[in-house]
Amino acid sequence: MYKSKVNKSSNYEIILECIYRNPGISRKEISDITGITPATVTTTVSIMTKEGIISELGEVKGDNGNIGRSRIALDIFADYGYTIGVECTLNALSVCIANLHGNIIYSNIIPYTPEIELNITELIVENIQNCIEKLNFNNKKILGIGIALPGHIDKAGRNVVSSNEKWKNFDAQKIRKKFSLPVVFENNVRCMAVAEYLHKPQNTPSSFALFHIGKGMFCANVTEDGLYIGSTYGSGEIGHTIVVPDGKRCECGKDGCLQTVASDIALLESAKFIFESNTTSLLHIFAKSSNDIRFEHILSAYSLGDLAIRQLIKQTLKYICMSILNIAILMNPQKLFIHGNLFNNIDLQKDFLEMVYKQFDFTKNNYRLGTVEILPCGEMDGALGGASLAILKCVIHA
């Protein structure tokens, strides 16, 4: 549930975010939660209703016995407007159009190639323009553009700050200049956290963490209904915490980082070694050579009981579990979401959660650690996160 914050700039913003976090809420309940006077809530809601950004759903259920005027449930009107979301990663360039409830009405995925890397700025512009043409053709209202990045935007608001040099051709300023619409940028995992916060309020408490495991690794933190950014580019970079002292050299320059042993790339490298050194591995069922191995082959071999793959993934899960426990103790989020293709495997999910809760039980319930939940991982999660970021920054806090 949304709780009122004093650092918002207007009653309009406070009330709009409160409705997002409490769909079906009444005017009186908004006043109770935010501390804004009933008269001001009524006036502001009237403005929102006339604008069309919120709608009345009818009387609050179970309210018939109350004395006085019936309470009317309020919600965001999904088709008041639309935002465009973009995500660029080492998997693909993904683009979507979403309504204000986070429902995707159009999407496009361009698989990653070296050409995308070289022309990333131009391709983003081109795909956004395609989205705008589709929306204009259907007389849809465009409210903003959100771009989810595999790193951070620099202080100048132009380039991606990342240990990976593949994004050196990205230029945020060029993208902004191409559009009259507001364009906002943020780390892709933080964007995913915004999507969870806005569109799944029943499942997201006021403080939670979202830990993404993919080709890279990152942990986004929402604290007291606000996205925590930090003052340095290191905030959230869980993949660059050291778990194996004197271990493998990471792209960041340190030795033994989590991402060198637990990322998708690390798993693929280890699986290729298993393929080449173990002729009985079940990986040989799926691939003719080590270069043919795909991530889904590893998960299939795990489910089929390949001993070497199960040992590899068990060790990987131990490292991830160690990091989750550290997050839970240091940050103490009410809920900790885990996100990544690795956890789309049902057998692996079960084994992992057993491992997690065994570790979390070390205090014998004297100190409560937050709930761990695995989120489904889809191809459009980052792009939807970008669209959600645009809702947060270009609609709620415009």
Side-chain angles (χ1 to χ4, degrees), residues 122-140:
E122 292 74 19
L123 281 170
I124 288 174
V125 168
E126 179 184 336
N127 278 271
I128 292 173
Q129 288 172 336
N130 289 340
C131 289
I132 291 173
E133 289 174 8
K134 289 180 181 296
L135 286 168
N136 286 338
F137 179 77
N138 292 289
N139 296 316
K140 303 294 187 182

Side-chain angles (χ1 to χ4, degrees), residues 298-306 310 345-348:
I298 301 173
L299 297 181
S300 296
Y302 180 86
S303 292
L304 291 172
D306 185 300
R310 290 188 72 86
N345 181 285
I346 300 300
D347 298 319
L348 192 148

Side-chain angles (χ1 to χ4, degrees), residues 335-352:
K335 185 175 282 191
L336 206 162
F337 295 106
I338 309 299
H339 180 270
N341 285 320
L342 180 65
F343 298 97
N344 281 346
N345 181 285
I346 300 300
D347 298 319
L348 192 148
Q349 278 190 27
K350 180 182 177 182
D351 293 343
F352 176 69

Side-chain angles (χ1 to χ4, degrees), residues 107-123:
S107 64
N108 186 37
I109 298 175
I110 304 172
Y112 175 84
T113 64
E115 287 71 28
I116 285 184
E117 176 188 327
L118 293 172
N119 303 290
I120 186 65
T121 300
E122 292 74 19
L123 281 170

Side-chain angles (χ1 to χ4, degrees), residues 34-298:
T34 64
I36 299 172
T37 65
T40 300
V41 169
T42 298
T43 301
T44 307
V45 167
S46 178
I47 293 170
M48 291 176 174
T49 305
K50 288 178 181 178
E51 289 177 349
I53 194 168
I54 66 169
S55 58
E56 295 184 339
L57 304 179
E59 293 185 9
V60 175
K61 292 181 179 180
D63 203 40
N64 295 332
N66 288 343
I67 299 174
R69 184 177 178 181
S70 297
R71 293 183 295 164
I72 304 299
L74 306 169
D75 198 3
I76 304 297
F77 179 54
D79 294 317
Y80 169 77
Y82 300 82
T83 58
I84 297 170
V86 180
E87 183 189 34
C88 46
T89 70
L90 292 176
N91 290 322
L93 173 64
S94 307
V95 185
C96 76
I97 302 170
N99 66 16
L100 295 191
H101 279 180
N103 298 318
I104 294 176
I105 63 170
Y106 166 81
S107 64
N108 186 37
I109 298 175
I110 304 172
Y112 175 84
T113 64
E115 287 71 28
I116 285 184
E117 176 188 327
L118 293 172
N119 303 290
I120 186 65
T121 300
E122 292 74 19
L123 281 170
I124 288 174
V125 168
E126 179 184 336
N127 278 271
I128 292 173
Q129 288 172 336
N130 289 340
C131 289
I132 291 173
E133 289 174 8
K134 289 180 181 296
L135 286 168
N136 286 338
F137 179 77
N138 292 289
N139 296 316
K140 303 294 187 182
K141 186 176 181 181
I142 312 169
L143 304 174
I145 300 165
I147 300 180
L149 303 168
H152 309 269
I153 199 75
D154 64 14
K155 300 296 183 184
R158 183 162 194 158
N159 303 119
V160 176
V161 177
S162 172
S163 54
N164 194 320
E165 291 294 317
K166 292 183 180 295
W167 310 113
K168 61 184 178 183
N169 294 316
F170 178 88
D171 191 329
Q173 196 60 26
K174 283 185 179 180
I175 298 172
R176 288 193 190 95
K177 288 180 178 178
K178 287 288 184 179
F179 304 102
S180 58
L181 295 163
V183 184
V184 291
F185 304 83
E186 188 50 83
N187 173 272
N188 56 346
V189 183
R190 286 178 180 154
C191 289
M192 294 178 205
V194 170
E196 293 295 316
Y197 173 78
L198 287 181
H199 306 310
K200 299 178 183 177
Q202 295 86 354
N203 197 42
T204 51
S206 59
S207 297
F208 66 88
L210 195 159
F211 184 4
H212 170 77
I213 298 99
K215 290 187 176 179
M217 310 177 87
F218 193 87
C219 185
N221 289 290
V222 172
T223 58
E224 295 303 319
D225 294 299
L227 188 63
Y228 180 76
I229 302 299
S231 58
T232 69
Y233 298 129
S235 175
E237 292 289 354
I238 189 74
H240 295 296
T241 55
I242 297 173
V243 294
V244 185
D246 302 320
K248 184 178 179 180
R249 176 61 57 95
C250 180
E251 63 185 14
C252 74
K254 301 196 303 297
D255 295 333
C257 289
L258 177 65
Q259 107 174 11
T260 66
V261 292
S263 66
D264 289 3
I265 291 176
L267 275 175
L268 277 168
E269 289 178 353
S270 297
K272 288 179 180 180
F273 176 79
I274 290 172
F275 181 96
E276 293 170 353
S277 61
N278 186 343
T279 57
T280 63
S281 170
L282 297 179
L283 290 173
H284 290 275
I285 297 174
F286 308 106
K288 293 181 179 180
S289 72
S290 60
N291 291 328
D292 295 330
I293 295 174
R294 301 291 179 264
F295 198 75
E296 56 268 25
H297 299 158
I298 301 173

Side-chain angles (χ1 to χ4, degrees), residues 313-329:
I313 290 184
K314 184 177 180 181
Q315 186 62 49
T316 298
L317 295 181
K318 282 184 178 180
Y319 288 126
I320 294 173
C321 186
M322 180 194 309
S323 297
I324 288 173
L325 187 60
N326 290 337
I327 293 169
I329 293 172

